[in-house]
Amino acid sequence: MDYSWVLLTLGISLIAGKLGDHFMEKLKLPGVLGEILMGMFLGNLIYFGFIDGNHLTLHNNEIFEFLSKLGIIFLLFLGGLDTNIAEVKKTGAIATVSTVFGVLFPLVMGYLALVSVGYPSQEAFAAGVILTATSIGLTVRVMMDLGVLKTDVGYASLSASIMDDFLGIMLIIFVVGMGDLTSLFGKLGLFVIIGFIGWKLIGKYISFAEKLHVQRGILSFILALLFIFSFLAENWFEAAIEGSFLAGLILSKTPEGKAVMNDVKTIGYSFLIPLFFVYTGASLDLGVFGNYDALSLAVILTVVAVISKVVGRGLGAKLMGWNTKKSLQMGIGSIPRAEIALINLMVAVNAGIISEGNVPKFIAATLIFITVSILITPPLLKWAFKDECTLN
């Protein structure tokens, strides 16, 4: 492999991402949308054959993909680091109920919608599962940019999206009959225990780092904790972001954790986080919109994906006593779908749940509804939080 082209791609991606960020800010839209759109532009230059994918390595390159995924890991780590535990506890019940409704509504509505147009029940149920998981990274980034992540809606949305992922993993295991739910619950319990031990011992861990008296020693030890927890979550659940969030949450109780936040932001926002959103945009192939067989399925999935999440999560928040405005904000924050939806789809495909003849249609339709959900969420969130943005 010629690594020089990866270096070129990194440089082009960072410049393009920040230019997109700048243009969107000028239009008073969330900057992350510009990073995604610039990624789409670059990625589709490759998809449509204008640029050789061996030279602009946005696709099918393990190094670029790994660095990009570090971006979402850093973003969720920052989300955890910037979290107020007391506020999370206050919104815990609302987040839990909203999660249940926000998973149940897409699951049931997706199943009923596809059965009603003639899909087999097993494929329809798999589609429902695909619709359940929210792309937490996009919502966190937009809320951070708008300055509303440290609100009750922000904390509840963050907690609910974390729970979404775990429920999605359990559902796909149930649907395809692969793996062992008992083993999954065992790993989840062990992960919680490790998190509790980390919570109790974090002070001693930081004190040890301080005693070394080496340059940026505390920052190195904090990043080490981030990577270790991300490894455990990825190895056990294929969900590194949950591990990074837990690491940030543990460190949020320490003054040292808060002190290095600017250093972590510098690494994240100058390098890794823009890469992730450019990479996300680059993976959205506009060519799928020309697959007319998939468009009807895509319309159904997109409508159900948006309505079911907004209504489901919003209704859960409303039933727990939140007003209509906050409930709507909670619902809109759950619209975007991305990597977990694709993972669930491919697990169902590989398990033979989706018939061979319908596989291309499902893949194209899923890419379409993911693309739409990613593009509409930033402006919708800005509209939903317009009053809070004015105050900020």
Side-chain angles (χ1 to χ4, degrees):
M1 180 186 294
D2 187 350
Y3 297 107
S4 64
W5 293 111
V6 180
L7 295 173
L8 177 64
T9 303
L10 290 173
I12 291 173
S13 298
L14 289 173
I15 292 171
K18 288 302 180 182
L19 285 173
D21 194 332
H22 169 75
F23 291 136
M24 287 300 110
E25 293 289 348
K26 287 286 187 183
L27 296 173
K28 301 193 182 301
L29 290 168
V32 64
L33 182 59
E35 293 169 9
I36 293 169
L37 288 173
M38 292 300 276
M40 285 180 67
F41 172 72
L42 293 173
N44 280 275
L45 287 178
I46 300 169
Y47 283 129
F48 287 98
F50 293 107
I51 293 179
D52 188 342
N54 291 318
H55 296 157
L56 190 63
T57 60
L58 291 165
H59 303 145
N60 303 316
N61 183 280
E62 290 183 359
I63 298 173
F64 188 81
E65 181 180 355
F66 175 73
L67 289 172
S68 301
K69 289 186 176 178
L70 278 180
I72 186 66
I73 288 172
F74 266 70
L75 182 60
L76 267 293
F77 179 64
L78 283 168
L81 204 57
D82 206 24
T83 294
N84 183 320
I85 299 295
E87 290 295 328
V88 172
K89 289 178 180 177
K90 282 199 306 187
T91 60
I94 293 171
T96 302
V97 174
S98 294
T99 298
V100 172
F101 277 79
V103 169
L104 189 61
F105 270 64
L107 181 66
V108 174
M109 288 178 66
Y111 172 80
L112 293 176
L114 264 67
V115 165
S116 68
V117 293
Y119 284 90
S121 60
Q122 200 172 23
E123 289 187 4
F125 195 77
V129 173
I130 290 167
L131 296 175
T132 58
T134 297
S135 174
I136 184 174
L138 180 60
T139 299
V140 169
R141 170 66 188 276
V142 175
M143 286 186 170
M144 274 187 171
D145 289 351
L146 296 178
V148 297
L149 186 62
K150 294 168 72 173
T151 63
D152 48 3
V153 177
Y155 288 132
S157 295
L158 189 53
S159 302
S161 295
I162 294 288
M163 288 185 274
D164 257 8
D165 279 0
F166 284 115
L167 285 176
I169 291 167
M170 285 183 250
L171 281 170
I172 198 64
I173 288 175
F174 171 76
V175 169
V176 303
M178 59 171 280
D180 182 358
L181 280 176
T182 304
S183 173
L184 178 64
F185 281 119
K187 289 176 180 177
L188 184 57
L190 182 58
F191 189 61
V192 171
I193 291 170
I194 291 172
F196 178 76
I197 293 171
W199 179 265
K200 290 295 184 183
L201 298 181
I202 188 62
K204 293 182 178 179
Y205 179 79
I206 295 295
S207 295
F208 177 74
E210 288 177 327
K211 290 175 182 176
L212 295 179
H213 299 297
V214 293
Q215 188 173 13
R216 296 291 189 182
I218 294 174
L219 177 61
S220 294
F221 269 64
I222 284 174
L223 292 176
L225 193 71
L226 157 66
F227 293 132
I228 290 168
F229 271 82
S230 297
F231 158 75
L232 292 173
E234 180 67 22
N235 194 262
W236 290 346
F237 317 114
E238 295 186 9
I241 57 175
E242 272 72 16
S244 65
F245 176 73
L246 181 58
L249 209 58
I250 290 169
L251 285 158
S252 69
K253 65 180 283 190
T254 68
E256 291 82 5
K258 298 293 187 185
V260 301
M261 186 180 292
N262 284 336
D263 292 325
V264 178
K265 280 184 176 179
T266 299
I267 298 169
Y269 279 100
S270 65
F271 179 34
L272 297 170
I273 294 172
L275 277 189
F276 171 74
F277 288 106
V278 170
Y279 171 77
T280 299
S283 67
L284 303 176
D285 182 1
L286 296 179
V288 298
F289 285 90
N291 184 337
Y292 295 108
D293 289 337
L295 282 177
S296 59
L297 177 59
V299 169
I300 295 170
L301 291 178
T302 303
V303 171
V304 173
V306 174
I307 293 176
S308 63
K309 274 293 187 182
V310 173
V311 173
R313 244 196 220 182
L315 181 60
K318 185 73 172 175
L319 290 174
M320 292 300 292
W322 274 7
N323 61 33
T324 301
K325 180 184 176 183
K326 284 186 175 182
S327 299
L328 182 61
Q329 290 170 339
M330 187 79 173
I332 290 173
S334 66
I335 289 175
R337 316 293 208 281
E339 63 285 342
I340 300 298
L342 283 172
I343 289 169
N344 287 346
L345 170 64
M346 296 318 297
V347 169
V349 168
N350 292 330
I353 301 298
I354 297 172
S355 63
E356 190 174 337
N358 280 338
V359 167
K361 188 192 301 184
F362 265 85
I363 291 175
T366 301
L367 286 171
I368 291 170
F369 96 75
I370 285 174
T371 302
V372 174
S373 72
I374 286 174
L375 293 178
I376 66 173
T377 299
L380 283 176
L381 276 174
K382 180 147 191 182
W383 168 78
F385 284 98
K386 59 181 181 295
D387 294 335
E388 289 82 354
C389 292
T390 302
L391 291 174
N392 289 331

